[in-house]
Each structure stands twice: as structure tokens, then as C-alpha cells.
Amino acid sequence: MTQQVIGEEAPAQHKIDHLNDQALQNTMNSILNQMKEAVQQGESLTSEYVIQLSQQLDTYVLIAQIRKMRCVN
């Protein structure tokens, strides 16, 4: 399975894809902690900052899922 990334996702994909699994997990945990801290400090779940963090986390989760699919195949 080949993946094709276009638009704004292409540079982000290139930066993430080289991370080893532990670095990927650490980055995901860091983003999650930032989201928790922002909410504790009164940020709304719909605030621009929390949404931006959520989108970043989504990107890393997608990479992890793709890696898992590669291992299963």
C-alpha cells in the first residue's frame, strides 16, 4: 500500500514519518498533555488552540494507524 499526501499535509507527513515508534508515542503524549493543560487553564474544547492541538494529534494517530496496518499486512 502506498500513501499519497497532497497539499499542506505533505510537509508535515515528511517530518513525522521518520520518527521511531517511541518518539511518535512521546510526541503524542506531549500534545495530549498540552491539551489537558489548556483545558485546565480554561480553554474551551472549541478554542482555536485546542483545535490546533487536536489536529496535530490526529496527524500522529494517523501515522501510528498506518504503521500498524503495515505490520498486520
Side-chain angles (χ1 to χ4, degrees):
M1 176 176 135
T2 60
Q3 55 177 323
Q4 181 179 9
V5 181
I6 57 174
E8 293 180 16
E9 296 172 355
Q13 173 72 27
H14 178 70
K15 292 177 187 175
I16 296 171
D17 207 32
H18 75 281
L19 294 176
N20 66 35
D21 289 347
Q22 187 61 47
L24 186 66
Q25 180 69 40
N26 290 345
T27 303
M28 290 169 57
N29 287 335
S30 174
I31 293 170
L32 186 57
N33 287 336
Q34 290 176 57
M35 291 175 70
K36 287 178 183 178
E37 185 177 323
V39 170
Q40 288 175 347
Q41 293 181 2
E43 290 281 345
S44 163
L45 290 177
T46 58
S47 73
E48 185 176 332
Y49 177 61
V50 174
I51 289 172
Q52 181 184 36
L53 288 171
S54 177
Q55 289 171 341
Q56 288 176 17
L57 185 59
D58 287 347
T59 302
Y60 287 93
V61 169
L62 180 61
I63 297 300
Q65 289 173 334
I66 290 169
R67 288 182 182 181
K68 183 176 181 178
M69 287 178 13
R70 287 180 187 161
C71 290
V72 170
N73 290 334

